[in-house]
Amino acid sequence: MKDLNRYMVHWVQSDISNDPDGQFAQELTRIQRDFKRSRGDIFFQFGLLDTVWSGTTNEIKKDKELVSTLTTQKATQDTKMRDDYQLLPAWREHMPDTTVQIPLTEGITEIRTWYSSSGKRYINKAKKEDLSFEITTSEATWKTFWRIRYSMAFDKAFTVIPEDIFLELMRHLTESWQWRLMLAKKWNRIVSGSVVLDYTYTGHKQLIYLYGATNREYGNIWGHYRLTDQILKRGAQEWYELYDLLWVAPPGRDDHYLSWVTRFKQAFGGNTIVSVGNYDSVYNSKLYRAMQALKNKGWVMSMFGKLKNNKKDKNSNDKK
């Protein structure tokens, strides 16, 4: 069996902003030594969780001066990490540096006042549809959800884990009662779905958004907005403290690969937390540059998916 420990997440506590003893540099050297074992090892990624800024989502959406300041700070930090530690800004983050979290302790009536005008409009539009909501543990439904998410990947240019690994994950979470697949349905067909983790730490109950998907056949009824509103309502009723929607694009990065999901998550208000971010320690510069050259793979996937769908539509029209 392969030594999987070297692929796990490793936590190191160190203050990079105040490191007179060089502790961070020492940890960096140790990790580089311990994890570089073959020519095939390309890079090791550091996710630095120190908070740079936190406040309301509406504040960071509207305050252009704040966004400009954070963007400048990020550029300065990138220079420091490159010059002092030879770390490069991550070419593709595993833990993007910005998250959106919705506090649930105020109750759903107060939470709904935080929604953006577009969020409220989409939810009201979805209310006109005959949607039903349910939590499912059906493996057949898991497979359907995975296929919908896989189909989305072509349009939105993101990657998905293989179906067998997804099913294994769902089985594990089901056995430990740590998850819910929450669905919005119309005429008994899935419109939208969210895999939500149930996380309790030292008595604090949280919900964490892990995966989401929307059936493209029902994309114009905004079912995912309505489903998220129902998740927030249920979480508040069941005395959860927080719904963590996880990652969005960093402030001022409209070109970021998460920009499309950022608009959705920010529609529910709440709080935004910006951390230092992700940096790569490069072992093999040639292979690393080759990986960077493949950053457009997502665009290729998107174009392939559109061609595939256009072919399906053409075949359907030919049959008619």
PDB file of all heavy atoms in Angstrom, residues 106-135:
ATOM      1  N   GLU A 106     -29.608  34.313  14.916  1.00  0.00           N
ATOM      2  CA  GLU A 106     -30.578  35.411  14.916  1.00  0.00           C
ATOM      3  C   GLU A 106     -31.971  34.978  14.455  1.00  0.00           C
ATOM      4  O   GLU A 106     -32.931  35.722  14.615  1.00  0.00           O
ATOM      5  CB  GLU A 106     -30.084  36.550  14.015  1.00  0.00           C
ATOM      6  CG  GLU A 106     -28.770  37.166  14.446  1.00  0.00           C
ATOM      7  CD  GLU A 106     -28.878  37.888  15.776  1.00  0.00           C
ATOM      8  OE1 GLU A 106     -29.941  38.464  16.057  1.00  0.00           O
ATOM      9  OE2 GLU A 106     -27.901  37.859  16.537  1.00  0.00           O
ATOM     10  N   GLY A 107     -32.075  33.788  13.870  1.00  0.00           N
ATOM     11  CA  GLY A 107     -33.369  33.323  13.378  1.00  0.00           C
ATOM     12  C   GLY A 107     -33.578  33.699  11.927  1.00  0.00           C
ATOM     13  O   GLY A 107     -32.979  34.649  11.407  1.00  0.00           O
ATOM     14  N   ILE A 108     -34.454  32.940  11.258  1.00  0.00           N
ATOM     15  CA  ILE A 108     -34.602  33.084   9.808  1.00  0.00           C
ATOM     16  C   ILE A 108     -35.182  34.438   9.406  1.00  0.00           C
ATOM     17  O   ILE A 108     -34.835  34.969   8.342  1.00  0.00           O
ATOM     18  CB  ILE A 108     -35.463  31.920   9.227  1.00  0.00           C
ATOM     19  CG1 ILE A 108     -35.406  31.939   7.695  1.00  0.00           C
ATOM     20  CG2 ILE A 108     -36.884  32.000   9.759  1.00  0.00           C
ATOM     21  CD1 ILE A 108     -34.026  31.772   7.107  1.00  0.00           C
ATOM     22  N   THR A 109     -36.035  35.034  10.236  1.00  0.00           N
ATOM     23  CA  THR A 109     -36.607  36.333   9.874  1.00  0.00           C
ATOM     24  C   THR A 109     -35.517  37.382   9.736  1.00  0.00           C
ATOM     25  O   THR A 109     -35.495  38.158   8.762  1.00  0.00           O
ATOM     26  CB  THR A 109     -37.630  36.783  10.926  1.00  0.00           C
ATOM     27  OG1 THR A 109     -38.672  35.815  11.017  1.00  0.00           O
ATOM     28  CG2 THR A 109     -38.241  38.124  10.547  1.00  0.00           C
ATOM     29  N   GLU A 110     -34.591  37.422  10.673  1.00  0.00           N
ATOM     30  CA  GLU A 110     -33.473  38.367  10.608  1.00  0.00           C
ATOM     31  C   GLU A 110     -32.510  37.991   9.488  1.00  0.00           C
ATOM     32  O   GLU A 110     -32.017  38.868   8.765  1.00  0.00           O
ATOM     33  CB  GLU A 110     -32.729  38.384  11.952  1.00  0.00           C
ATOM     34  CG  GLU A 110     -31.489  39.252  11.974  1.00  0.00           C
ATOM     35  CD  GLU A 110     -31.778  40.735  11.788  1.00  0.00           C
ATOM     36  OE1 GLU A 110     -32.939  41.148  12.006  1.00  0.00           O
ATOM     37  OE2 GLU A 110     -30.856  41.468  11.387  1.00  0.00           O
ATOM     38  N   ILE A 111     -32.246  36.711   9.322  1.00  0.00           N
ATOM     39  CA  ILE A 111     -31.312  36.258   8.279  1.00  0.00           C
ATOM     40  C   ILE A 111     -31.779  36.725   6.906  1.00  0.00           C
ATOM     41  O   ILE A 111     -30.977  37.173   6.075  1.00  0.00           O
ATOM     42  CB  ILE A 111     -31.178  34.724   8.313  1.00  0.00           C
ATOM     43  CG1 ILE A 111     -30.456  34.276   9.584  1.00  0.00           C
ATOM     44  CG2 ILE A 111     -30.427  34.207   7.082  1.00  0.00           C
ATOM     45  CD1 ILE A 111     -30.501  32.776   9.837  1.00  0.00           C
ATOM     46  N   ARG A 112     -33.074  36.658   6.664  1.00  0.00           N
ATOM     47  CA  ARG A 112     -33.604  37.023   5.342  1.00  0.00           C
ATOM     48  C   ARG A 112     -33.464  38.512   5.037  1.00  0.00           C
ATOM     49  O   ARG A 112     -33.497  38.906   3.872  1.00  0.00           O
ATOM     50  CB  ARG A 112     -35.062  36.582   5.232  1.00  0.00           C
ATOM     51  CG  ARG A 112     -35.198  35.074   4.997  1.00  0.00           C
ATOM     52  CD  ARG A 112     -36.624  34.593   5.111  1.00  0.00           C
ATOM     53  NE  ARG A 112     -36.719  33.173   4.741  1.00  0.00           N
ATOM     54  CZ  ARG A 112     -37.757  32.399   5.049  1.00  0.00           C
ATOM     55  NH1 ARG A 112     -38.788  32.880   5.754  1.00  0.00           N
ATOM     56  NH2 ARG A 112     -37.762  31.124   4.671  1.00  0.00           N
ATOM     57  N   THR A 113     -33.288  39.333   6.060  1.00  0.00           N
ATOM     58  CA  THR A 113     -33.055  40.758   5.805  1.00  0.00           C
ATOM     59  C   THR A 113     -31.656  41.002   5.251  1.00  0.00           C
ATOM     60  O   THR A 113     -31.377  42.077   4.725  1.00  0.00           O
ATOM     61  CB  THR A 113     -33.245  41.590   7.085  1.00  0.00           C
ATOM     62  OG1 THR A 113     -32.222  41.246   8.048  1.00  0.00           O
ATOM     63  CG2 THR A 113     -34.606  41.358   7.707  1.00  0.00           C
ATOM     64  N   TRP A 114     -30.766  40.023   5.388  1.00  0.00           N
ATOM     65  CA  TRP A 114     -29.393  40.172   4.880  1.00  0.00           C
ATOM     66  C   TRP A 114     -29.295  39.845   3.402  1.00  0.00           C
ATOM     67  O   TRP A 114     -28.279  40.150   2.771  1.00  0.00           O
ATOM     68  CB  TRP A 114     -28.443  39.257   5.653  1.00  0.00           C
ATOM     69  CG  TRP A 114     -28.465  39.421   7.136  1.00  0.00           C
ATOM     70  CD1 TRP A 114     -28.842  40.540   7.838  1.00  0.00           C
ATOM     71  CD2 TRP A 114     -28.103  38.430   8.110  1.00  0.00           C
ATOM     72  NE1 TRP A 114     -28.738  40.304   9.185  1.00  0.00           N
ATOM     73  CE2 TRP A 114     -28.279  39.020   9.394  1.00  0.00           C
ATOM     74  CE3 TRP A 114     -27.645  37.125   8.033  1.00  0.00           C
ATOM     75  CZ2 TRP A 114     -28.020  38.333  10.565  1.00  0.00           C
ATOM     76  CZ3 TRP A 114     -27.377  36.439   9.206  1.00  0.00           C
ATOM     77  CH2 TRP A 114     -27.549  37.036  10.460  1.00  0.00           C
ATOM     78  N   TYR A 115     -30.319  39.204   2.829  1.00  0.00           N
ATOM     79  CA  TYR A 115     -30.249  38.792   1.428  1.00  0.00           C
ATOM     80  C   TYR A 115     -30.126  40.016   0.521  1.00  0.00           C
ATOM     81  O   TYR A 115     -30.714  41.079   0.782  1.00  0.00           O
ATOM     82  CB  TYR A 115     -31.492  38.001   1.021  1.00  0.00           C
ATOM     83  CG  TYR A 115     -31.693  36.680   1.732  1.00  0.00           C
ATOM     84  CD1 TYR A 115     -32.848  35.929   1.484  1.00  0.00           C
ATOM     85  CD2 TYR A 115     -30.773  36.173   2.631  1.00  0.00           C
ATOM     86  CE1 TYR A 115     -33.066  34.707   2.119  1.00  0.00           C
ATOM     87  CE2 TYR A 115     -30.980  34.962   3.274  1.00  0.00           C
ATOM     88  CZ  TYR A 115     -32.128  34.241   3.020  1.00  0.00           C
ATOM     89  OH  TYR A 115     -32.338  33.043   3.662  1.00  0.00           O
ATOM     90  N   SER A 116     -29.411  39.851  -0.583  1.00  0.00           N
ATOM     91  CA  SER A 116     -29.331  40.922  -1.582  1.00  0.00           C
ATOM     92  C   SER A 116     -30.664  41.029  -2.317  1.00  0.00           C
ATOM     93  O   SER A 116     -31.506  40.122  -2.263  1.00  0.00           O
ATOM     94  CB  SER A 116     -28.214  40.628  -2.579  1.00  0.00           C
ATOM     95  OG  SER A 116     -28.545  39.491  -3.366  1.00  0.00           O
ATOM     96  N   SER A 117     -30.876  42.135  -3.006  1.00  0.00           N
ATOM     97  CA  SER A 117     -32.126  42.325  -3.752  1.00  0.00           C
ATOM     98  C   SER A 117     -32.279  41.260  -4.830  1.00  0.00           C
ATOM     99  O   SER A 117     -33.386  40.744  -5.052  1.00  0.00           O
ATOM    100  CB  SER A 117     -32.164  43.721  -4.369  1.00  0.00           C
ATOM    101  OG  SER A 117     -31.046  43.928  -5.210  1.00  0.00           O
ATOM    102  N   SER A 118     -31.175  40.887  -5.496  1.00  0.00           N
ATOM    103  CA  SER A 118     -31.264  39.848  -6.518  1.00  0.00           C
ATOM    104  C   SER A 118     -31.555  38.493  -5.881  1.00  0.00           C
ATOM    105  O   SER A 118     -32.323  37.692  -6.426  1.00  0.00           O
ATOM    106  CB  SER A 118     -29.960  39.778  -7.321  1.00  0.00           C
ATOM    107  OG  SER A 118     -28.858  39.495  -6.474  1.00  0.00           O
ATOM    108  N   GLY A 119     -30.956  38.217  -4.713  1.00  0.00           N
ATOM    109  CA  GLY A 119     -31.232  36.973  -4.008  1.00  0.00           C
ATOM    110  C   GLY A 119     -32.702  36.846  -3.643  1.00  0.00           C
ATOM    111  O   GLY A 119     -33.317  35.786  -3.826  1.00  0.00           O
ATOM    112  N   LYS A 120     -33.281  37.921  -3.123  1.00  0.00           N
ATOM    113  CA  LYS A 120     -34.705  37.915  -2.765  1.00  0.00           C
ATOM    114  C   LYS A 120     -35.565  37.709  -4.004  1.00  0.00           C
ATOM    115  O   LYS A 120     -36.568  36.979  -3.967  1.00  0.00           O
ATOM    116  CB  LYS A 120     -35.078  39.232  -2.085  1.00  0.00           C
ATOM    117  CG  LYS A 120     -34.454  39.429  -0.711  1.00  0.00           C
ATOM    118  CD  LYS A 120     -34.787  40.809  -0.152  1.00  0.00           C
ATOM    119  CE  LYS A 120     -34.129  41.025   1.201  1.00  0.00           C
ATOM    120  NZ  LYS A 120     -34.376  42.392   1.719  1.00  0.00           N
ATOM    121  N   ARG A 121     -35.170  38.337  -5.110  1.00  0.00           N
ATOM    122  CA  ARG A 121     -35.951  38.220  -6.350  1.00  0.00           C
ATOM    123  C   ARG A 121     -35.928  36.777  -6.863  1.00  0.00           C
ATOM    124  O   ARG A 121     -36.969  36.235  -7.265  1.00  0.00           O
ATOM    125  CB  ARG A 121     -35.378  39.167  -7.401  1.00  0.00           C
ATOM    126  CG  ARG A 121     -36.158  39.186  -8.712  1.00  0.00           C
ATOM    127  CD  ARG A 121     -35.716  40.307  -9.604  1.00  0.00           C
ATOM    128  NE  ARG A 121     -34.348  40.134 -10.080  1.00  0.00           N
ATOM    129  CZ  ARG A 121     -33.314  40.838  -9.672  1.00  0.00           C
ATOM    130  NH1 ARG A 121     -33.473  41.782  -8.758  1.00  0.00           N
ATOM    131  NH2 ARG A 121     -32.105  40.623 -10.170  1.00  0.00           N
ATOM    132  N   TYR A 122     -34.759  36.138  -6.834  1.00  0.00           N
ATOM    133  CA  TYR A 122     -34.662  34.763  -7.323  1.00  0.00           C
ATOM    134  C   TYR A 122     -35.450  33.810  -6.421  1.00  0.00           C
ATOM    135  O   TYR A 122     -36.097  32.868  -6.912  1.00  0.00           O
ATOM    136  CB  TYR A 122     -33.198  34.328  -7.383  1.00  0.00           C
ATOM    137  CG  TYR A 122     -32.365  35.112  -8.362  1.00  0.00           C
ATOM    138  CD1 TYR A 122     -31.006  35.346  -8.123  1.00  0.00           C
ATOM    139  CD2 TYR A 122     -32.920  35.635  -9.534  1.00  0.00           C
ATOM    140  CE1 TYR A 122     -30.228  36.063  -9.021  1.00  0.00           C
ATOM    141  CE2 TYR A 122     -32.160  36.359 -10.427  1.00  0.00           C
ATOM    142  CZ  TYR A 122     -30.815  36.575 -10.166  1.00  0.00           C
ATOM    143  OH  TYR A 122     -30.052  37.290 -11.053  1.00  0.00           O
ATOM    144  N   ILE A 123     -35.394  34.027  -5.121  1.00  0.00           N
ATOM    145  CA  ILE A 123     -36.144  33.171  -4.189  1.00  0.00           C
ATOM    146  C   ILE A 123     -37.638  33.325  -4.414  1.00  0.00           C
ATOM    147  O   ILE A 123     -38.386  32.333  -4.449  1.00  0.00           O
ATOM    148  CB  ILE A 123     -35.768  33.506  -2.737  1.00  0.00           C
ATOM    149  CG1 ILE A 123     -34.333  33.056  -2.452  1.00  0.00           C
ATOM    150  CG2 ILE A 123     -36.726  32.840  -1.752  1.00  0.00           C
ATOM    151  CD1 ILE A 123     -33.778  33.560  -1.139  1.00  0.00           C
ATOM    152  N   ASN A 124     -38.102  34.558  -4.595  1.00  0.00           N
ATOM    153  CA  ASN A 124     -39.527  34.787  -4.840  1.00  0.00           C
ATOM    154  C   ASN A 124     -39.970  34.164  -6.155  1.00  0.00           C
ATOM    155  O   ASN A 124     -41.098  33.645  -6.261  1.00  0.00           O
ATOM    156  CB  ASN A 124     -39.822  36.295  -4.840  1.00  0.00           C
ATOM    157  CG  ASN A 124     -39.760  36.902  -3.454  1.00  0.00           C
ATOM    158  OD1 ASN A 124     -40.018  36.214  -2.462  1.00  0.00           O
ATOM    159  ND2 ASN A 124     -39.424  38.168  -3.365  1.00  0.00           N
ATOM    160  N   LYS A 125     -39.085  34.186  -7.144  1.00  0.00           N
ATOM    161  CA  LYS A 125     -39.415  33.541  -8.417  1.00  0.00           C
ATOM    162  C   LYS A 125     -39.544  32.039  -8.228  1.00  0.00           C
ATOM    163  O   LYS A 125     -40.470  31.403  -8.755  1.00  0.00           O
ATOM    164  CB  LYS A 125     -38.352  33.860  -9.456  1.00  0.00           C
ATOM    165  CG  LYS A 125     -38.675  33.312 -10.842  1.00  0.00           C
ATOM    166  CD  LYS A 125     -37.671  33.784 -11.880  1.00  0.00           C
ATOM    167  CE  LYS A 125     -38.048  33.259 -13.261  1.00  0.00           C
ATOM    168  NZ  LYS A 125     -37.113  33.726 -14.320  1.00  0.00           N
ATOM    169  N   ALA A 126     -38.624  31.442  -7.462  1.00  0.00           N
ATOM    170  CA  ALA A 126     -38.658  29.997  -7.223  1.00  0.00           C
ATOM    171  C   ALA A 126     -39.874  29.591  -6.399  1.00  0.00           C
ATOM    172  O   ALA A 126     -40.369  28.462  -6.521  1.00  0.00           O
ATOM    173  CB  ALA A 126     -37.374  29.562  -6.517  1.00  0.00           C
ATOM    174  N   LYS A 127     -40.378  30.504  -5.550  1.00  0.00           N
ATOM    175  CA  LYS A 127     -41.561  30.195  -4.736  1.00  0.00           C
ATOM    176  C   LYS A 127     -42.795  29.948  -5.603  1.00  0.00           C
ATOM    177  O   LYS A 127     -43.734  29.269  -5.162  1.00  0.00           O
ATOM    178  CB  LYS A 127     -41.845  31.340  -3.761  1.00  0.00           C
ATOM    179  CG  LYS A 127     -40.915  31.386  -2.561  1.00  0.00           C
ATOM    180  CD  LYS A 127     -41.295  32.540  -1.631  1.00  0.00           C
ATOM    181  CE  LYS A 127     -40.398  32.576  -0.407  1.00  0.00           C
ATOM    182  NZ  LYS A 127     -40.747  33.709   0.485  1.00  0.00           N
ATOM    183  N   LYS A 128     -42.798  30.480  -6.794  1.00  0.00           N
ATOM    184  CA  LYS A 128     -43.938  30.309  -7.690  1.00  0.00           C
ATOM    185  C   LYS A 128     -43.958  28.924  -8.331  1.00  0.00           C
ATOM    186  O   LYS A 128     -44.962  28.536  -8.943  1.00  0.00           O
ATOM    187  CB  LYS A 128     -43.909  31.385  -8.773  1.00  0.00           C
ATOM    188  CG  LYS A 128     -44.028  32.806  -8.222  1.00  0.00           C
ATOM    189  CD  LYS A 128     -43.909  33.839  -9.331  1.00  0.00           C
ATOM    190  CE  LYS A 128     -43.969  35.254  -8.769  1.00  0.00           C
ATOM    191  NZ  LYS A 128     -43.817  36.289  -9.835  1.00  0.00           N
ATOM    192  N   GLU A 129     -42.853  28.222  -8.210  1.00  0.00           N
ATOM    193  CA  GLU A 129     -42.771  26.873  -8.763  1.00  0.00           C
ATOM    194  C   GLU A 129     -43.243  25.861  -7.713  1.00  0.00           C
ATOM    195  O   GLU A 129     -43.181  26.108  -6.516  1.00  0.00           O
ATOM    196  CB  GLU A 129     -41.327  26.542  -9.167  1.00  0.00           C
ATOM    197  CG  GLU A 129     -40.717  27.530 -10.133  1.00  0.00           C
ATOM    198  CD  GLU A 129     -41.372  27.511 -11.506  1.00  0.00           C
ATOM    199  OE1 GLU A 129     -41.897  26.442 -11.877  1.00  0.00           O
ATOM    200  OE2 GLU A 129     -41.343  28.547 -12.190  1.00  0.00           O
ATOM    201  N   ASP A 130     -43.709  24.733  -8.198  1.00  0.00           N
ATOM    202  CA  ASP A 130     -44.210  23.686  -7.300  1.00  0.00           C
ATOM    203  C   ASP A 130     -43.042  22.824  -6.830  1.00  0.00           C
ATOM    204  O   ASP A 130     -42.873  21.676  -7.245  1.00  0.00           O
ATOM    205  CB  ASP A 130     -45.254  22.834  -8.044  1.00  0.00           C
ATOM    206  CG  ASP A 130     -45.902  21.808  -7.125  1.00  0.00           C
ATOM    207  OD1 ASP A 130     -45.882  22.032  -5.903  1.00  0.00           O
ATOM    208  OD2 ASP A 130     -46.419  20.800  -7.631  1.00  0.00           O
ATOM    209  N   LEU A 131     -42.211  23.386  -5.928  1.00  0.00           N
ATOM    210  CA  LEU A 131     -41.024  22.688  -5.449  1.00  0.00           C
ATOM    211  C   LEU A 131     -41.298  21.991  -4.120  1.00  0.00           C
ATOM    212  O   LEU A 131     -42.005  22.527  -3.259  1.00  0.00           O
ATOM    213  CB  LEU A 131     -39.861  23.671  -5.256  1.00  0.00           C
ATOM    214  CG  LEU A 131     -39.355  24.402  -6.501  1.00  0.00           C
ATOM    215  CD1 LEU A 131     -38.186  25.312  -6.138  1.00  0.00           C
ATOM    216  CD2 LEU A 131     -38.935  23.420  -7.584  1.00  0.00           C
ATOM    217  N   SER A 132     -40.716  20.818  -3.985  1.00  0.00           N
ATOM    218  CA  SER A 132     -40.755  20.105  -2.705  1.00  0.00           C
ATOM    219  C   SER A 132     -39.319  19.932  -2.225  1.00  0.00           C
ATOM    220  O   SER A 132     -38.379  19.982  -3.016  1.00  0.00           O
ATOM    221  CB  SER A 132     -41.424  18.737  -2.861  1.00  0.00           C
ATOM    222  OG  SER A 132     -40.712  17.932  -3.790  1.00  0.00           O
ATOM    223  N   PHE A 133     -39.157  19.733  -0.917  1.00  0.00           N
ATOM    224  CA  PHE A 133     -37.820  19.645  -0.329  1.00  0.00           C
ATOM    225  C   PHE A 133     -37.720  18.378   0.508  1.00  0.00           C
ATOM    226  O   PHE A 133     -38.673  17.998   1.190  1.00  0.00           O
ATOM    227  CB  PHE A 133     -37.535  20.878   0.532  1.00  0.00           C
ATOM    228  CG  PHE A 133     -37.677  22.174  -0.222  1.00  0.00           C
ATOM    229  CD1 PHE A 133     -38.883  22.868  -0.205  1.00  0.00           C
ATOM    230  CD2 PHE A 133     -36.630  22.679  -0.971  1.00  0.00           C
ATOM    231  CE1 PHE A 133     -39.034  24.047  -0.908  1.00  0.00           C
ATOM    232  CE2 PHE A 133     -36.771  23.854  -1.688  1.00  0.00           C
ATOM    233  CZ  PHE A 133     -37.978  24.548  -1.652  1.00  0.00           C
ATOM    234  N   GLU A 134     -36.553  17.739   0.439  1.00  0.00           N
ATOM    235  CA  GLU A 134     -36.379  16.504   1.196  1.00  0.00           C
ATOM    236  C   GLU A 134     -34.905  16.261   1.491  1.00  0.00           C
ATOM    237  O   GLU A 134     -34.020  16.846   0.864  1.00  0.00           O
ATOM    238  CB  GLU A 134     -36.936  15.314   0.419  1.00  0.00           C
ATOM    239  CG  GLU A 134     -36.196  15.009  -0.872  1.00  0.00           C
ATOM    240  CD  GLU A 134     -36.788  13.812  -1.603  1.00  0.00           C
ATOM    241  OE1 GLU A 134     -38.005  13.846  -1.893  1.00  0.00           O
ATOM    242  OE2 GLU A 134     -36.020  12.866  -1.887  1.00  0.00           O
ATOM    243  N   ILE A 135     -34.652  15.412   2.484  1.00  0.00           N
ATOM    244  CA  ILE A 135     -33.317  14.905   2.796  1.00  0.00           C
ATOM    245  C   ILE A 135     -33.313  13.429   2.425  1.00  0.00           C
ATOM    246  O   ILE A 135     -34.225  12.697   2.801  1.00  0.00           O
ATOM    247  CB  ILE A 135     -32.993  15.080   4.290  1.00  0.00           C
ATOM    248  CG1 ILE A 135     -33.045  16.553   4.672  1.00  0.00           C
ATOM    249  CG2 ILE A 135     -31.621  14.498   4.616  1.00  0.00           C
ATOM    250  CD1 ILE A 135     -32.899  16.799   6.158  1.00  0.00           C
TER     251      ILE A 135
END
